Amino acid sequence: MATAAPRIGDTKVPMSLLEKGAYINYQRIEDNLVIVRDRLQRPLTLSEKILYGHLDDPHGQDIERGVSYLKLRPDRVACQDATAQMALLQFMSAGMPTAAVPTTVHCDHLIEAQVGGVKDLARANEINKEVYDFLATATAKYGLGFWKPGSGIIHQIILENYAFPGGLMIGTDSHTPNAGGLGMIACGVGGADAVDVMADIPWELKCPKVIGVNLTGKISGWTTPKDVILKVAGILTVKGGTGAIVEYKGPGVESLSCTGMATICNMGAEIGATTSMFPFNNRMVDYLNATKRQDIAKYATQFAHNLKADEGANYDQVIEINLSELEPHINGPFTPDLATPISKFASEVKKNGWPDELKVALIGSCTNSSYEDMSRSASIAREASEHGLDVTSKFTITPGSEQVRATIERDGQIGAFEKVGGVVLANACGPCIGQWDRRDVEKGVANSIITSYNRNFTGRNDANPATHAFVASPDIVTAMAFSGSLSFNPLTDSLTGADGKPFKFSDPTGNELPPRGYDPGQDTFQPPPEDRASVQVAVDPKSDRLQLLKPFQPFSGEPKDLPILIKVKGKCTTDHISAGGPWLKYRGHLENISQNCLIGAINSENGEANKVKNQLTGSWGGVPQVAAEYREKGVKWVVIGDHNYGEGSSREHAALEPRFLGGLAIIVRSFARIHETNLKKQGMLALTFADPADYDKIQPSDRVDIEGLDSFAPGKNLTLSVKHADGSKENISLAHSFNEGQIAWFRAGSALNLMAAKAKGQ
């Protein structure tokens, strides 16, 4: 009797060692690709295989790079603690007992670097106790994994425990692409997208273009994987990867470690790329084995034909890099794409008048905190110590995870750093995201720092706009800490030892993986409990940082005689709509954070920010205050906006806040796509002038009716009936991009209301 050929899906391999019942679904990729190949009739790149392998509807999905919007089914979701607060509050309102896909929350963003790891962590635990308690109880209640403060940075934890070749993951942090080092498509998103996937709604992504980076030669000496992405950033600039996935390929790939590949993918966020990734290879197998995931390594090896690009696959752009010729680079200041090879850097410092004295050297962060990074830097520190030297600049070390910290403590790297004057910070983001209580330089004083981080925009690390921040590999950063000078080139220059004799650093050396295996360190993971029903989610009703969400009211009636809250003039990003900085601590409290709603937008009536006229009283006030006054009187309002309204980060607060304050519609010349979708999810009308010139017909003192909502349908324009202060009237045509599902969100009051109704079977 003939037997059916074995299918890849016949083997069940868990996605991670920490989750029960969640298995890698290579069968879906295999099945989808049969359909997609038949439709497209062409070779596929690696990223196309994995993306199209996760399509919700492979038969009916439009597939055109740079044009179509793909509906995808990710394998998992990851959230960091700053963005997780609102994401979890929204998910709680959806009425679902647990997330549709495996989801984890990681406490890494709220720990400020001040004096050193142990004390800084204790201080953060005290200051952020109510946020951590909320996250711990909400994850327990809804069946999510929780990584406690001190466990490490989200992206390092994901690489160590959850990333796998061929997977699709979204994470609420822009450096989520780190997991591309293990052959995964991992994309940074806003919290609203995370909630959708957790609630079993397909994730929408514009079909990316594909940039191929062909690596030849072999990496060696002082050149590291970090120098690959520093070079690529110099070629593509901060915008060159926008709307594209960067695929690394070629014979040079085999000379990069798995964690080195992760470094390259991580910093791909700085070129605007959707994500970056590498094909499955032996270095990934080594890392999976070292992190006790031998079964995944074996399974991926069986599926390897779909974990690399097809022969003859077409790329939208190809970049060639010879690793044998690549020299170390230093990027900056003030932008991560100003790339300078080390051989030319000293002359650039002099030519541009950058402060030559190096004040602080910082290694670690989610980009460069692997065992290999720490080992190589420690070899430099040991060599300097043998010559009797301590660091000249301040020197900080941020381990990426508790596992890395415990292992480098056991294996002596931490001792080597501390012996020369290094300070080990908490396993957290710290100075990389501006969580740094820096006191050695006053704000406004020009100075230089060098980091192995990923971003170096003005003021990002220390809130000092005069700080010149440069980005390099941990090797270069560590060597420069001993010279105290930006002009020092460790490949060619000498230092003077304590004995008065000059010496040159040897090439850095270090193990890619710990020879004695990883030390897991302290247990910092909280799995979901068996009995979730008895868990009470901790939210103090008196808290000023957390607030449970109340459902928005469903739509009712034709909106008439609505005032215009503000007619925005010019650029209005999500930062103008929902400012960051000191407001970040209120990310879990919608009422409090709504006090920043549109305070950065310029009012066309007076050319000022945060000063609008209350059309009911005639008095002037701040935008959030006037909006709340309308809401308290039961008056809905609209905002009029310019081109590309809502560009910038994908933060959902920029859509939640106007809805919370009683807004009904945002009417603009054009929207940034993610913000437009976010508004729809919150039950707001996101509308555009059919003729963009009609923006000029609107006066801030006008009253408006929105007509046609009783027969609201896809592709059918609405009408804005405008009543001017002088008594004259005119009708303006309004276009929209609502589909049937999004119209249902609007009628229900929000996407979450509709989800909750479905969960209750209504």
Side-chain angles (χ1 to χ4, degrees), residues 359 438-447 462-467:
K359 290 287 189 185
R438 187 181 180 192
R439 299 182 180 183
D440 63 302
V441 170
E442 286 187 24
K443 195 175 280 193
V445 174
N447 73 101
D462 62 359
N464 179 1
T467 294

Side-chain angles (χ1 to χ4, degrees), residues 253-506:
V253 167
E254 285 290 346
S255 72
L256 305 174
S257 65
C258 178
T259 52
M261 291 185 270
T263 291
I264 293 168
C265 294
N266 176 298
M267 197 176 158
E270 303 340 308
I271 54 171
T274 302
T275 194
S276 304
M277 65 182 313
F278 280 82
F280 179 64
N281 60 59
N282 291 327
R283 306 300 276 272
M284 294 182 189
V285 171
D286 294 343
Y287 185 76
L288 286 166
N289 288 338
T291 49
K292 301 191 168 113
R293 292 176 287 171
Q294 294 90 340
D295 287 352
I296 294 178
K298 206 180 296 177
Y299 199 37
T301 303
Q302 291 168 24
F303 197 59
H305 60 285
N306 276 327
L307 300 175
K308 61 181 180 184
D310 289 339
E311 202 69 48
N314 179 51
Y315 294 85
D316 296 284
Q317 181 182 351
V318 176
I319 294 167
E320 298 281 346
I321 295 179
N322 184 337
L323 298 177
S324 301
E325 296 171 0
L326 180 67
E327 63 176 301
H329 277 60
I330 299 176
N331 288 25
F334 306 122
T335 181
D337 58 359
L338 180 57
T340 308
I342 187 86
S343 59
K344 296 178 182 168
F345 191 68
S347 62
E348 286 296 308
V349 172
K350 195 171 181 181
K351 184 174 91 181
N352 291 289
W354 298 331
D356 184 66
E357 183 193 358
L358 182 63
K359 290 287 189 185
V360 193
L362 307 96
I363 64 168
S365 89
C366 65
T367 316
N368 272 115
S369 56
S370 66
Y371 186 83
E372 179 180 39
D373 291 328
M374 295 296 166
S375 297
R376 286 174 63 97
S377 288
S379 78
I380 296 166
R382 287 191 185 104
E383 188 170 11
S385 183
E386 284 161 11
H387 289 274
L389 295 188
D390 287 344
V391 287
T392 302
S393 313
K394 289 181 182 291
F395 180 45
T396 70
I397 301 95
T398 303
S401 68
E402 171 58 12
Q403 179 168 279
V404 166
R405 187 212 60 77
T407 307
I408 63 174
E409 182 176 55
R410 179 198 71 193
D411 293 355
Q413 290 94 337
I414 282 183
F417 293 138
E418 290 181 336
K419 187 177 179 184
V420 296
V423 175
V424 178
L425 301 176
N427 313 323
C429 303
C432 183
I433 61 161
Q435 283 281 30
W436 183 16
D437 183 16
R438 187 181 180 192
R439 299 182 180 183
D440 63 302
V441 170
E442 286 187 24
K443 195 175 280 193
V445 174
N447 73 101
S448 291
I449 65 173
I450 190 165
T451 80
S452 70
Y453 302 165
N454 41 48
R455 282 190 184 148
N456 60 342
F457 296 115
T458 304
R460 175 173 171 88
N461 302 120
D462 62 359
N464 179 1
T467 294
H468 293 56
F470 298 88
V471 177
S473 69
D475 300 6
I476 296 294
V477 174
T478 304
M480 281 194 167
F482 291 97
S483 74
S485 164
L486 282 184
S487 300
F488 176 68
N489 178 352
L491 285 73
T492 56
D493 299 346
S494 298
L495 293 176
T496 304
D499 58 3
K501 294 178 182 173
F503 77 95
K504 262 178 64 180
F505 281 119
S506 312

Side-chain angles (χ1 to χ4, degrees), residues 103-362:
T103 301
T104 51
V105 172
H106 304 259
C107 294
D108 62 359
H109 268 59
L110 303 179
I111 302 167
E112 184 182 54
Q114 199 176 62
V115 293
V118 176
K119 288 183 178 175
D120 292 346
L121 179 59
R123 186 165 156 263
N125 275 323
E126 190 180 326
I127 292 170
N128 302 307
K129 184 178 186 307
E130 63 175 321
V131 172
Y132 293 151
D133 287 349
F134 164 68
L135 295 174
T137 52
T139 50
K141 180 76 174 174
Y142 293 98
L144 320 179
F146 178 66
W147 289 86
K148 301 171 195 172
S151 59
I153 306 171
I154 177 171
H155 312 303
Q156 184 71 27
I157 300 274
I158 293 291
L159 198 72
E160 291 171 355
N161 298 279
Y162 301 109
F164 65 89
L168 175 62
M169 176 179 77
I170 60 169
T172 61
D173 187 274
S174 55
H175 293 103
T176 300
N178 193 74
L182 259 177
M184 189 173 209
I185 287 188
C187 302
V189 299
D193 282 345
V195 174
D196 280 354
V197 174
M198 290 163 69
D200 208 24
I201 293 174
W203 174 53
E204 196 175 64
L205 175 72
K206 190 171 193 177
C207 189
K209 295 186 174 182
V210 190
I211 297 171
V213 179
N214 194 48
L215 302 178
T216 55
K218 190 175 180 184
I219 214 156
S220 63
W222 282 84
T223 304
T224 69
K226 181 64 162 281
D227 299 301
V228 175
I229 184 59
L230 294 174
K231 173 76 172 173
V232 169
I235 295 168
L236 286 174
T237 78
V238 289
K239 292 181 179 170
T242 304
I245 290 181
V246 180
E247 273 184 38
Y248 292 86
K249 59 195 183 76
V253 167
E254 285 290 346
S255 72
L256 305 174
S257 65
C258 178
T259 52
M261 291 185 270
T263 291
I264 293 168
C265 294
N266 176 298
M267 197 176 158
E270 303 340 308
I271 54 171
T274 302
T275 194
S276 304
M277 65 182 313
F278 280 82
F280 179 64
N281 60 59
N282 291 327
R283 306 300 276 272
M284 294 182 189
V285 171
D286 294 343
Y287 185 76
L288 286 166
N289 288 338
T291 49
K292 301 191 168 113
R293 292 176 287 171
Q294 294 90 340
D295 287 352
I296 294 178
K298 206 180 296 177
Y299 199 37
T301 303
Q302 291 168 24
F303 197 59
H305 60 285
N306 276 327
L307 300 175
K308 61 181 180 184
D310 289 339
E311 202 69 48
N314 179 51
Y315 294 85
D316 296 284
Q317 181 182 351
V318 176
I319 294 167
E320 298 281 346
I321 295 179
N322 184 337
L323 298 177
S324 301
E325 296 171 0
L326 180 67
E327 63 176 301
H329 277 60
I330 299 176
N331 288 25
F334 306 122
T335 181
D337 58 359
L338 180 57
T340 308
I342 187 86
S343 59
K344 296 178 182 168
F345 191 68
S347 62
E348 286 296 308
V349 172
K350 195 171 181 181
K351 184 174 91 181
N352 291 289
W354 298 331
D356 184 66
E357 183 193 358
L358 182 63
K359 290 287 189 185
V360 193
L362 307 96

Side-chain angles (χ1 to χ4, degrees), residues 603 605-606 611-614 617-622 626:
N603 183 3
E605 192 167 10
N606 54 14
K611 189 176 180 184
V612 295
K613 193 176 194 179
N614 183 323
T617 64
S619 60
W620 292 79
V626 172

Side-chain angles (χ1 to χ4, degrees), residues 21-80:
Y23 300 100
I24 294 174
N25 193 352
Y26 282 156
Q27 191 62 55
R28 172 174 59 186
I29 298 176
E30 187 91 50
D31 294 345
N32 274 12
L33 289 182
V34 170
I35 298 160
V36 171
R37 285 184 189 286
D38 186 54
R39 288 180 56 197
L40 298 184
Q41 294 290 314
R42 63 170 174 81
L44 302 176
T45 73
L46 168 61
S47 60
E48 287 185 306
K49 287 183 177 183
I50 297 175
L51 269 189
Y52 306 159
H54 285 82
L55 285 173
D56 184 50
D57 175 16
H59 289 283
Q61 172 70 61
D62 257 357
I63 302 173
E64 187 181 348
R65 285 190 205 165
V67 177
S68 313
Y69 286 96
L70 306 178
K71 289 198 168 175
L72 301 160
R73 290 288 184 178
D75 296 299
R76 66 177 312 112
V77 173
C79 303
Q80 40 92 334

